[in-house]
Amino acid sequence: MDLEEKALKRFWEQKDAIFLEKKELTDRFELLSEKIDALLNLKLDIFKENIKPFAPNKDGLLSKKAHSNMLRMSKTNDKKIQNIFGNAYNNELAKSIWFIWGSVSEDEYLLDQRFRIISNNYKFDDYNGGLNTDQSGQSTRTVSNIASNNYYFQFAKFLQVAKEDMNYQTAIDESKLVLTWENNKELLGSDDPFKESTKLLEKRFPPKYLWMWANKDTVLHPFSLMAFRNFVNSPFGGEILKDINPALEPPIITNMEFDTFVKQWKLISVSIFNKLGIDNNPDNSKNLSKLLSVIMVDDIEVNNSPTTDNTTHSKNKILNQIFFGPPGTGKTYNTINKALEIIGEATEGKKREDIKNLFDDRMKTGQIEFITFHQSMSYEDFIEGIKPVTEPDNESTGESLRYEVKPGIFRKLCSKASLAIAKLAGNQNKKENSNNSPEEKMAVVRNLTTEDYNDKQYVLIIDEINRGNVSQIFGELITLVEEDKRLGADEGLEVTLPYSNEKFGVPPNLHIIGTMNTADRSVEALDVALRRRFSFVEMPPKPELIAKEGKLKKDKGVLDGINLPLVLTTINKRIEKLLDKDHQIGHSYFLSVSTLEDLKATFQNKIIPLLQEYFFGDYGKIGLILGKGFFTEPGNMISTDNFFADFEYDDASDFAERIIYKIKSIDDMKDADFKEAINHLLRIN
């Protein structure tokens, strides 16, 4: 892929939209990260003594037969053996490592070459050998794969040792990770096949891959050999390699010895962050690695021409953006600050009341518009439509009714923005006034120079953008809102509107900010064409703001011994586990809490109703989140003999034995009982 620095910078700005559009790949990256963490935390010592009965060889390694025996024994009904191996072997080791190697999914052992980490050959003339697969998805050279031996314990151990940043020989000695050697014809005649095998393995990709992922908080970590190779083969990757060492070539960096690779890749990672102007922190390391993984294995169009300043405001290059997140994360709150920032108003250091007053003033002048999408919103409301108009009837004392084409909210704001540019351009149109038709205003805009674009900005805020039928509301404007399709851009476009038959284009000084509640409707439901034209800014819950900006900031978010940031964090972790992160609960629900009564009201009127909606009345799952302190004791079992009507039904006894959970009325709870319920929630004895 011909990826250049300017293209990667553009991708970085649009990463949220790319992650949403390429969900299959981003989900794999996230799942891979979870499995790496699980293996890093896996207590391998519990297997140490239990390995011996399964025929370890003289070097302390497990043969293929031993692993086969263990896999068979882990599925036995023998409780003792199940306790030793069971899920820890089948799920955390076997399935996890197959997935890391590149299997299609967690439950399929077919390798997908996009995800494989196996380098079949370290010779430069066979640089791409590790990506050869047949039609079934299996490797065509399985004998040279680590996968053929299934040394799961050694693989996991090497990952853990690699996190300590030890040298290769120490990592090998501690983990005993080897390449195929029992049946390897190249090594059968060797005096020390283990030594020969580990030297051969050193130049393969898997050990380096394990090291990168073990240290993923500090270095870049693509999710496959293909992603890695495509990146180092790209113009940008090659430029980075040359900056580090003029002698570096993609085959060399892939196949160099382990210890040298570790030193070089650290330098390369730092250089990439510096080139892109990105801070090297764990979040950015994860997101940049995920971005490189996605664009390097998928057919994402690379546009190496940078976004030019003649299509956007010099200080605000993103014209279209959407703030998305669960309820209560401050999406609408932050659109106010963002809108003022775009039009050049400073908000830093000002009180919220002053910021809101300034926002209201700009709303009155028409420089900022705020609307909310809903299911009844239409193209005619947003762009233009035929509307009834009444006027006095000269022939009677009543009024007559006629129909006119009226501009909608978006078209009106486009006209204002265009007229603002026209006025700034000088008296190019002597008829300039508020009654000019859109065609007259657009005629002026077409003759503007690039210097005219960087002055007065306009902002349209669309709250709950995903609640409307976006394709129907935007219509043909879905194309015109793109940055490079705005008026004055090299690829600028105009369309003929269907009602007025007038030419229309979107000016380059109009910004669109949308908000999207992910719990109300999944981000995936938003029109794909719209997602591609917007940059997405995630607004996740931030429990730390309760301690920093809430009413309890003097007490660091602690109320009567209750740590509110911890309460929110605990609830959200459980919601994510039982549902997903789109349905978490925002920090704003706790910002106004200053007393125990406030906290009780928040749970009674906000938190619990949200959970009831999320889980459709499944009170068992709600109980797993809140704990038993918020529930009444389950009632006694009811005999089917006298509860149900006289009717023969096979499952009647199951219904009778069903436990019915009921949530307590928090308003009726004593303060001490409520605090005890919170302790149960936090599992504090």
Side-chain angles (χ1 to χ4, degrees):
M1 178 175 283
D2 296 331
L3 179 69
E4 296 181 0
E5 179 182 341
K6 52 193 173 185
L8 185 54
K9 286 182 176 178
R10 183 175 182 181
F11 281 140
W12 177 256
E13 292 176 350
Q14 300 172 349
K15 62 182 181 299
D16 293 320
I18 292 173
F19 293 158
L20 289 170
E21 189 168 350
K22 304 298 178 182
K23 192 173 185 302
E24 176 194 358
L25 296 175
T26 55
D27 283 352
R28 183 180 181 93
F29 185 96
E30 295 288 353
L31 183 55
L32 176 61
S33 185
E34 290 178 13
K35 291 191 174 300
I36 292 288
D37 286 336
L39 292 179
L40 286 171
N41 295 319
L42 187 63
K43 304 295 184 183
L44 292 174
D45 290 343
I46 66 173
F47 299 107
K48 210 173 231 182
E49 293 301 316
N50 298 302
I51 287 174
K52 292 180 180 179
F54 298 93
N57 58 38
K58 62 182 180 180
D59 293 306
L61 302 174
L62 286 175
S63 65
K64 283 186 284 187
K65 182 179 180 181
H67 271 283
S68 176
N69 288 340
M70 289 179 62
L71 183 59
R72 176 176 56 81
M73 295 300 289
S74 68
K75 296 178 179 179
T76 183
N77 291 325
D78 189 311
K79 296 297 183 182
K80 182 178 179 181
I81 295 177
Q82 279 189 343
N83 290 338
I84 295 173
F85 301 108
N87 289 334
Y89 184 87
N90 286 320
N91 297 330
E92 294 186 63
L93 275 173
K95 286 187 177 181
S96 293
I97 291 174
W98 268 100
F99 185 79
I100 291 170
W101 273 326
S103 62
V104 175
S105 69
E106 291 183 89
D107 299 313
E108 294 184 53
Y109 292 159
L110 291 177
L111 300 180
D112 187 323
Q113 65 176 3
R114 296 176 301 165
F115 307 136
R116 290 178 56 193
I117 68 166
I118 299 162
S119 174
N120 279 3
N121 201 299
Y122 66 93
K123 298 175 183 177
F124 294 169
D125 59 356
D126 191 23
Y127 175 55
N128 291 316
L131 299 180
N132 291 339
T133 57
D134 62 21
Q135 293 181 349
S136 70
Q138 293 285 4
S139 166
T140 59
R141 305 178 65 187
T142 53
V143 72
S144 61
N145 292 344
I146 296 179
S148 66
N149 273 354
N150 299 341
Y151 288 150
Y152 300 140
F153 293 97
Q154 283 73 28
F155 192 98
K157 182 65 174 178
F158 187 92
L159 184 67
Q160 294 182 1
V161 175
K163 188 172 178 62
E164 304 300 325
D165 212 14
M166 296 181 178
N167 61 49
Y168 177 71
Q169 193 56 52
T170 303
I172 285 294
D173 289 343
E174 289 202 18
S175 66
K176 294 184 171 57
L177 183 70
V178 293
L179 193 65
T180 304
W181 63 272
E182 290 179 88
N183 301 316
N184 196 317
K185 295 178 181 179
E186 297 177 27
L187 303 176
L188 282 177
S190 170
D191 294 334
D192 192 343
F194 174 73
K195 181 178 180 181
E196 294 296 324
S197 178
T198 56
K199 287 302 293 181
L200 187 63
L201 179 62
E202 180 177 15
K203 293 186 177 182
R204 303 293 177 100
F205 190 68
K208 300 161 192 173
Y209 174 95
L210 297 179
W211 172 83
M212 286 192 294
W213 274 86
N215 295 276
K216 56 190 171 73
D217 285 348
T218 55
V219 299
L220 294 178
H221 43 287
F223 70 178
S224 68
L225 179 61
M226 178 183 283
F228 176 84
R229 282 181 172 170
N230 286 348
F231 173 68
V232 296
N233 272 308
S234 70
F236 179 63
E239 180 184 338
I240 294 292
L241 295 184
K242 295 297 182 185
D243 286 347
I244 299 299
N245 185 341
L248 278 182
E249 296 287 346
I252 295 176
I253 188 68
T254 305
N255 301 314
M256 65 173 40
E257 293 182 349
F258 180 88
D259 292 338
T260 306
F261 175 87
V262 167
K263 294 175 183 176
Q264 295 292 338
W265 192 250
K266 286 180 180 178
L267 296 174
I268 290 169
S269 294
V270 171
S271 180
I272 293 171
F273 281 110
N274 290 340
K275 279 272 188 183
L276 299 178
I278 301 172
D279 291 336
N280 187 356
N281 58 51
D283 285 342
N284 285 341
S285 179
K286 175 182 177 179
N287 283 325
L288 184 54
S289 299
K290 181 162 57 176
L291 181 65
L292 288 174
S293 297
V294 170
I295 64 179
M296 286 296 125
V297 302
D298 206 47
D299 191 19
I300 293 182
E301 179 183 356
V302 178
N303 182 358
N304 282 310
S305 58
T307 305
T308 52
D309 286 340
N310 70 322
T311 61
T312 180
H313 188 254
S314 60
K315 293 182 180 179
N316 299 281
K317 291 188 176 182
I318 301 176
L319 289 174
N320 309 316
Q321 55 191 310
I322 290 176
F323 294 169
F324 72 97
T329 54
K331 299 178 292 296
T332 306
Y333 180 95
N334 281 282
T335 59
I336 293 176
N337 295 55
K338 189 64 179 178
L340 291 174
E341 175 191 326
I342 288 171
I343 65 175
E345 298 287 355
T347 59
E348 189 174 353
K350 291 184 178 180
K351 295 180 179 179
R352 184 64 187 178
E353 183 181 356
D354 296 334
I355 293 173
K356 185 61 170 61
N357 289 336
L358 183 59
F359 177 82
D360 292 340
D361 288 341
R362 295 299 174 266
M363 287 268 292
K364 291 175 182 177
T365 62
Q367 199 171 355
I368 298 174
E369 288 284 350
F370 186 100
I371 62 172
T372 300
F373 273 8
H374 49 81
Q375 293 176 346
S376 298
M377 177 72 75
S378 66
Y379 177 91
E380 289 74 16
D381 299 318
F382 194 62
I383 309 299
E384 68 170 17
I386 298 175
K387 303 287 184 180
V389 178
T390 58
E391 59 183 14
D393 190 342
N394 295 329
E395 297 180 2
S396 68
T397 57
E399 293 181 335
S400 62
L401 180 69
R402 60 188 177 87
Y403 291 89
E404 292 182 358
V405 175
K406 290 288 187 180
I409 298 167
F410 185 72
R411 188 181 172 191
K412 287 179 182 178
L413 191 57
C414 285
S415 297
K416 288 180 184 178
S418 300
L419 183 58
I421 294 178
K423 288 181 177 179
L424 291 167
N427 294 321
Q428 296 185 41
N429 185 350
K430 295 181 181 179
K431 297 180 181 180
E432 282 178 14
N433 59 65
S434 59
N435 295 320
N436 282 128
S437 71
E439 277 197 344
E440 290 175 314
K441 295 170 185 175
M442 294 304 169
V444 176
V445 175
R446 292 187 196 103
N447 296 320
L448 297 178
T449 61
T450 57
E451 287 77 13
D452 298 313
Y453 294 154
N454 294 327
D455 221 299
K456 194 169 186 180
Q457 306 297 307
Y458 285 76
V459 180
L460 173 63
I461 299 173
I462 306 175
D463 200 27
E464 305 285 0
I465 191 171
N466 58 322
R467 285 186 61 83
N469 186 334
V470 175
S471 297
Q472 179 186 3
I473 295 171
F474 272 83
E476 64 273 15
L477 271 296
I478 201 71
T479 298
L480 301 188
V481 297
E482 283 192 68
E483 296 178 15
D484 60 347
K485 302 300 188 297
R486 301 288 186 104
L487 292 171
D490 293 339
E491 301 293 326
L493 293 176
E494 293 179 288
V495 297
T496 301
L497 296 175
Y499 289 101
S500 63
N501 290 319
E502 294 177 351
K503 289 285 187 180
F504 179 76
V506 179
N509 60 333
L510 175 60
H511 298 253
I512 303 173
I513 304 174
T515 71
M516 184 186 306
N517 183 342
T518 56
D520 179 63
R521 183 186 296 176
S522 173
V523 174
E524 297 172 70
L526 193 65
D527 188 273
V528 174
L530 186 72
R531 290 211 312 266
R532 189 169 63 83
R533 289 165 170 86
F534 277 76
S535 294
F536 283 76
V537 181
E538 185 174 10
M539 305 289 289
K542 295 182 178 179
E544 66 274 12
L545 292 183
I546 301 172
K548 293 179 180 178
E549 299 181 10
K551 288 188 175 182
L552 293 171
K553 61 184 177 181
K554 290 183 179 179
D555 299 310
K556 298 183 179 180
V558 178
L559 172 66
D560 285 353
I562 301 173
N563 187 324
L564 296 190
L566 179 59
V567 169
L568 180 59
T569 300
T570 303
I571 290 174
N572 281 337
K573 282 183 177 179
R574 292 170 184 169
I575 292 175
E576 186 174 9
K577 197 74 170 176
L578 294 171
L579 200 57
D580 54 50
K581 72 173 186 176
D582 289 342
H583 289 78
Q584 292 181 334
I585 293 173
H587 50 270
S588 67
Y589 292 115
F590 292 89
L591 292 177
S592 60
V593 171
S594 60
T595 66
L596 201 60
E597 287 303 314
D598 292 338
L599 184 59
K600 290 169 70 174
T602 297
F603 269 85
Q604 177 74 33
N605 303 322
K606 298 177 181 178
I607 306 301
I608 290 176
L610 268 178
L611 294 176
Q612 289 172 321
E613 181 181 344
Y614 288 171
F615 293 102
F616 302 102
D618 187 341
Y619 287 93
K621 289 181 179 177
I622 297 174
L624 291 175
I625 293 171
L626 297 180
K628 63 182 181 181
F630 287 91
F631 286 78
T632 59
E633 290 291 329
N636 295 328
M637 302 300 176
I638 300 170
S639 172
T640 55
D641 295 338
N642 55 16
F643 183 77
F644 291 115
D646 186 10
F647 185 78
E648 292 296 328
Y649 185 66
D650 291 341
D651 296 330
S653 59
D654 294 338
F655 289 117
E657 294 173 0
R658 179 185 172 195
I659 298 175
I660 299 176
Y661 300 99
K662 292 183 179 180
I663 297 178
K664 293 178 180 178
S665 171
I666 297 178
D667 290 338
D668 298 333
M669 290 176 69
K670 296 179 180 179
D671 290 351
D673 294 336
F674 178 73
K675 292 163 88 172
E676 184 180 354
I678 294 292
N679 287 338
H680 281 300
L681 186 156
L682 297 174
R683 298 185 71 89
I684 299 174
N685 295 327

